[in-house]
Amino acid sequence: MFVGEMTDDIAGQPDGAALPDENVDEKNPTPAESERRLVAAIIQSIKEDKRHHEKAFRRMKRDMHVAMWGAEKEWGEGNYKANIIGRHVKMKTAALYAKNPKAVARRRETLDYQIFDENPASLELAFQTIQMGQMAMQQAQAMSSVMPADPLTGQQPLMEPQLPPGFMEAQALIADFQQGYARRQQIAKMGKTLEILFAQAMREQKPLDFKRGMKQVVRRAITACVGYVEIGFQRETGPRPGMQEKLADARARLDHLRNLAEQVGEGEIGQDDAEMAELEASIAQLQSEPEIVLREGLIFDFPQATKVIPDRLCKYLDGFVGAGHITLEYDYSVSEVREIFGVDLTDSATKYAAANGSGSVYEASNVMDDEYEWGPSERKKTDMVRVWKRYDKPSGLVYYLADGHQGFLRPPAAPDIFVEDFWPVYALTFNAVESEEELFPPSDVTLLLDMQREYNRSRQGLREHRNAARPRWVYANGAFADEDDPMMLANLRPLQMLGLNIDPQTDIKTVLQTMPVPGVDPNLYETGQTFTDMQLVGGSQEANYGGVAKATATESAIAANATNASDASSIDDLDSFLTVIARASGQVLQREMSPEKVVEVVGPGAVWPEMTLAEIAGEIFLEVEAGSTGKPNQAVEVANMQKLLPLLIQIPGVEPTWLAKEVIRRMDDRIDITEAIAAGIPSIAAMNQQRQTTSAMPQDDPNNQGAQGANNAPKPDREGGSGPAFGSNQTEPALVS
């Protein structure tokens, strides 16, 4: 996109001239009475939902504070804190999400053949029947060619071929096989196209790429009990999506520039204002660029745990079962709202800044609504407004509203993207339990909070006891002639000498006496039971936190297995969550991406047919390979391949290129085997053998070397690993090049 179209109405204005103000009346039209009533009812419902979940939101904020500082706010700054929960959150996050998932396109299981029973034997028999029929037709044609022509017509007589039984059925079977196979190949290529598009979408996310964003979601699910992902789509033209995240392009910059230009045209910015200098500098920079980038593609937004407000009738977070609506909450400045929605809320929305009585100012995200005491407008310190995006399933509409504004920020419309679940917002939880009273499950922080408190109290008590047990001395009043001597004794440094106003014959021991203090009993402050409880509740043993556990190797191994089982359950939840996101993302890409854009991203070999919504929802979908987000265990994968490889190379029909890809993927997935393989070229080993046979010396030919030939030389032993190597009495299988 070239900048000339964008700057004609901005840069073309003479200095000091106001820009045309054609849409000033359309920016804040007076809403109808029915619209005002609907907006008021929706805002009231949102606040009731938020008040219903207020207890859970407060618990989330408390857990966030504990995970960051290792104690609650009430514990105090000076008290002892050991942030064990924060360490647990880091370890579990690293164990669950180490890399981006591998999405694989799956074809919906269908019966693509009407006649072919998908049995290779039936296909082979059909080919044999066709070959026999073709031979019969050739024989009949040959016999017809040697027979005399008909004397009346002069034409060569045609012999009727003796076709084998089932020849017509064999032809129909092969035609059915070819059609079904072609359809499967087309769907497979479309699936590969979808995989590349999804991988590209994960790479293009800004300012948080997909990996950092998903690690944040996992961390939130561990810390605040739930993490959310919202899927959107950004287009090259049209309004910006009402989301926090965006693709890395110039759209936000252009919107900001347009906003400044409109304010100049409306007289809100004068020639001497700082914004005018910013506008002029931005126009100059924009004109100096020959081309700007506007991207189109999938967006992944990661709302905070307290910024998604489910329907108070929701029964289960996964899929929002029972909910009729969900609301996403954003805190924008007035300028941002004007840039995104084109609505000026300077005088028509509630400004979220409030005094708390002590002179400080709260922002909207810090406290609940009922804690605000609104002052007059001149006391408001910020221009932040609260914006809500409400997905309403019964009506099938999305509403954009601002607190205090009587109209919609955008006209109600269907969601920007199509997914089967209507709302493209998905929740991740790890400690889901069955409860009829609580929608939000307990977080790991909530489960470990009592143990964290007990550990802090134990260490704080030990600190206080040690301070109380420090040596102290007492003396009788009047024992010192100079009243300043005791104070000088208290401040005496090591190896410093001090003269006292006492009788030289007086023993200092008779003047100063040791005061009895309580001894420190370490058993009173022992924390072993605390770590035992942490292992039972959180799944991590003491050794995982870096401490030395007083346990045998067998006990530690058993505890480690229990930890792995707990992590395996969370990994399964994460895989299911990512599969839902991948499937919804595939539906969005199939719906929104144009064939031209797909070819631009994927390449000329992309397959992207036009499909209906029903076909998109049911034909092909993406799913995440199990465990693909965890830390790769290359040693185990290589060991497994070592055991499978001797068996695979002896199975008839195993494709060598596929086998090479699987071996390379386990050793180093950065190698592209397609660049290394050229059709028709023999293996390097075969070429080496051929080069050796061309030698002039007969003794250089391996075939003349008997038992000491190159193919009969002993094979080197395998490298040792975590498991036992193959037995030395086993022979290597022959490699067929």
Side-chain angles (χ1 to χ4, degrees):
M1 176 180 178
F2 292 93
V3 300
E5 301 176 358
M6 198 66 212
T7 58
D8 283 344
D9 297 334
I10 301 175
Q13 298 294 331
D15 293 340
L19 296 177
D21 190 14
E22 300 177 355
N23 299 324
V24 64
D25 295 332
E26 298 179 1
K27 288 187 176 299
N28 292 298
T30 302
E33 179 63 25
S34 58
E35 179 178 337
R36 290 200 299 267
R37 290 179 179 273
L38 178 59
V39 169
I42 294 176
I43 291 179
Q44 179 65 25
S45 174
I46 292 173
K47 292 188 175 182
E48 290 178 357
D49 290 339
K50 189 171 183 179
R51 191 174 298 109
H52 178 79
H53 300 301
E54 179 180 350
K55 180 181 177 181
F57 290 158
R58 291 187 182 277
R59 184 174 68 243
M60 293 178 190
K61 293 185 177 182
R62 179 206 65 189
D63 292 347
M64 296 176 198
H65 187 275
V66 171
M68 175 170 285
W69 304 110
E72 299 165 273
K73 293 181 180 179
E74 296 78 8
W75 181 242
E77 290 294 332
N79 291 332
Y80 189 97
K81 294 183 288 291
N83 196 355
I84 302 175
I85 286 182
R87 178 69 178 275
H88 170 83
V89 171
K90 290 180 180 179
M91 291 190 304
K92 190 167 184 178
T93 303
L96 295 181
Y97 201 94
K99 57 188 178 70
N100 280 338
K102 181 180 180 182
V104 180
R106 303 293 187 190
R107 180 182 61 88
R108 180 172 57 90
E109 186 174 1
T110 56
L111 296 177
D112 297 319
Y113 305 107
Q114 295 181 352
I115 303 174
F116 179 47
D117 59 359
E118 302 191 32
N119 187 352
S122 301
L123 190 62
E124 183 178 0
L125 179 61
F127 276 116
Q128 293 176 356
T129 304
I130 293 295
Q131 291 177 354
M132 295 172 60
Q134 291 175 348
M135 293 176 60
M137 287 187 288
Q138 292 175 358
Q139 292 176 358
Q141 185 177 5
M143 294 178 62
S144 299
S145 63
V146 299
M147 294 181 65
D150 190 342
L152 297 178
T153 62
Q155 295 182 355
Q156 198 77 20
L158 297 177
M159 295 292 296
E160 186 71 22
Q162 297 295 324
L163 296 177
F167 179 79
M168 302 301 294
E169 290 80 359
Q171 283 186 322
L173 187 145
I174 292 177
D176 182 55
F177 166 75
Q178 292 174 342
Q179 293 176 0
Y181 183 76
R183 181 176 182 273
R184 286 189 175 184
Q185 288 297 105
Q186 183 185 21
I187 294 178
K189 201 168 184 180
M190 181 181 172
K192 185 63 177 178
T193 303
L194 196 58
E195 293 176 9
I196 297 175
L197 287 175
F198 183 71
Q200 177 70 11
M202 290 192 293
R203 287 192 296 267
E204 283 193 337
Q205 300 305 304
K206 299 293 180 183
L208 283 180
D209 57 23
F210 189 81
K211 179 179 179 181
R212 290 189 295 167
M214 274 305 306
K215 285 181 72 73
Q216 192 177 65
V217 171
V218 172
R219 191 180 301 113
R220 284 172 180 165
I222 299 171
T223 304
C225 85
V226 63
Y228 296 101
V229 174
E230 182 187 11
I231 302 175
F233 193 85
Q234 178 172 304
R235 295 170 177 83
E236 292 183 356
T237 59
R240 284 170 54 189
M243 303 172 67
Q244 297 281 21
E245 301 292 333
K246 53 186 176 294
L247 298 182
D249 63 0
R251 186 179 305 276
R253 180 174 151 207
L254 293 176
D255 288 344
H256 179 64
L257 184 60
R258 185 184 295 109
N259 181 33
L260 291 178
E262 291 174 352
Q263 293 185 49
V264 171
E266 295 169 2
E268 299 180 10
I269 297 178
Q271 290 297 319
D272 298 330
D273 291 339
E275 290 82 0
M276 178 60 72
E278 179 185 358
L279 177 61
E280 294 174 352
S282 299
I283 293 176
Q285 175 62 27
L286 190 63
Q287 290 178 331
S288 66
E289 299 179 12
E291 187 176 355
I292 59 175
V293 178
L294 293 181
R295 298 183 185 272
E296 177 181 283
L298 203 63
I299 307 176
F300 297 101
D301 199 11
F302 309 101
Q304 296 177 346
T306 58
K307 296 300 183 181
V308 177
I309 309 171
D311 185 355
R312 55 187 177 276
L313 299 179
C314 181
K315 303 300 182 185
Y316 194 58
L317 280 177
D318 189 2
F320 299 101
V321 178
H325 54 262
I326 58 174
T327 305
L328 277 72
E329 185 177 272
Y330 305 98
D331 292 326
Y332 287 129
S333 66
V334 172
S335 298
E336 289 176 322
V337 172
R338 185 167 181 169
E339 293 171 7
I340 298 174
F341 302 101
V343 179
D344 187 3
L345 299 182
T346 304
D347 301 321
S348 61
T350 303
K351 305 301 185 298
Y352 271 75
N356 64 352
S358 60
S360 60
V361 175
Y362 281 139
E363 292 296 336
S365 58
N366 293 339
V367 293
M368 303 301 294
D369 288 344
D370 57 0
E371 292 182 350
Y372 282 96
E373 296 179 1
W374 304 105
S377 58
E378 61 270 12
R379 293 183 55 191
K380 298 173 182 177
K381 304 298 183 183
T382 69
D383 62 347
M384 300 298 293
V385 295
R386 177 159 291 173
V387 174
W388 290 300
K389 177 167 62 175
R390 180 184 177 97
Y391 289 94
D392 191 73
K393 195 170 185 178
S395 64
L397 299 175
V398 178
Y399 303 103
Y400 289 92
L401 314 99
D403 193 8
H405 184 61
Q406 295 183 349
F408 293 110
L409 298 180
R410 282 182 186 167
D416 295 334
I417 60 175
F418 163 76
V419 292
E420 289 180 287
D421 302 326
F422 175 71
W423 34 57
V425 183
Y426 305 94
L428 171 65
T429 59
F430 290 130
N431 301 317
V433 293
E434 187 66 26
S435 174
E436 296 182 355
E437 299 178 355
E438 295 288 342
L439 174 64
F440 296 93
S443 67
D444 283 26
V445 177
T446 298
L447 296 175
L448 296 174
L449 183 57
D450 280 344
M451 283 69 81
Q452 178 71 71
R453 290 169 176 167
E454 185 63 27
Y455 190 90
N456 289 343
R457 282 195 294 262
S458 177
R459 291 301 187 183
Q460 178 65 20
L462 179 60
R463 170 191 286 182
E464 295 173 353
H465 199 156
R466 291 175 62 182
N467 288 334
R470 297 176 66 181
R472 293 175 175 82
W473 291 270
V474 296
Y475 63 92
N477 290 331
F480 292 95
D482 190 345
E483 296 181 355
D484 294 335
D485 285 349
M487 298 302 300
M488 297 175 65
L489 281 173
N491 298 325
L492 196 64
R493 296 192 304 271
L495 303 180
Q496 182 181 1
M497 293 181 292
L498 176 65
L500 300 176
N501 294 325
I502 59 175
D503 188 353
Q505 303 298 325
T506 304
D507 188 359
I508 190 64
K509 295 180 180 179
T510 63
V511 178
L512 292 176
Q513 298 180 9
T514 302
M515 184 181 71
V517 294
V520 179
D521 185 2
N523 294 325
L524 294 176
Y525 309 104
E526 190 265 336
T527 59
Q529 295 298 323
T530 301
F531 278 105
T532 300
D533 293 343
M534 280 188 151
Q535 177 180 335
L536 295 175
V537 176
S540 296
Q541 57 177 326
E542 184 178 357
N544 293 341
Y545 295 103
V548 179
K550 297 180 180 180
T552 64
T554 302
E555 292 173 340
S556 299
I558 295 174
N561 291 335
T563 302
N564 294 335
S566 177
D567 289 344
S569 176
S570 299
I571 291 173
D572 183 64
D573 294 337
L574 180 59
D575 288 342
S576 300
F577 173 74
L578 290 172
T579 296
V580 172
I581 291 179
R583 179 166 185 171
S585 301
Q587 293 176 358
V588 173
L589 290 171
Q590 294 175 69
R591 166 75 171 175
E592 305 296 341
M593 293 289 285
S594 62
E596 296 78 14
K597 190 66 177 180
V598 172
V599 172
E600 178 185 340
V601 174
V602 178
V607 174
W608 203 248
E610 298 290 341
M611 302 176 67
T612 64
L613 293 180
E615 292 172 340
I616 290 172
E619 184 63 36
I620 191 171
F621 56 88
L622 290 173
E623 67 178 20
V624 172
E625 282 192 357
S628 62
T629 59
K631 293 181 179 180
N633 194 337
Q634 189 180 31
V636 174
E637 292 186 358
V638 171
N640 292 336
M641 178 54 70
Q642 280 184 326
K643 298 176 182 178
L644 286 174
L645 190 59
L647 177 63
L648 291 175
I649 62 178
Q650 298 183 68
I651 298 177
V654 174
E655 211 276 320
T657 304
W658 171 85
L659 191 60
K661 289 181 179 179
E662 291 299 317
V663 174
I664 291 175
R665 184 176 65 84
R666 285 160 174 78
M667 299 298 296
D668 188 351
D669 57 2
R670 294 171 295 181
I671 298 177
D672 188 358
I673 189 64
T674 58
E675 297 180 0
I677 294 179
I681 297 180
S683 66
I684 296 176
M687 289 190 293
N688 290 339
Q689 291 180 2
Q690 184 178 5
R691 187 176 296 110
Q692 290 175 358
T693 56
T694 59
S695 175
M697 304 301 293
Q699 60 270 22
D700 293 337
D701 187 357
N703 297 321
N704 298 330
Q705 294 177 5
Q708 302 302 320
N711 289 336
N712 299 322
K715 303 298 186 296
D717 294 335
R718 292 183 175 87
E719 295 182 0
S722 58
F726 290 107
S728 58
N729 58 345
Q730 291 181 339
T731 58
E732 291 285 345
L735 297 176
V736 180
S737 61

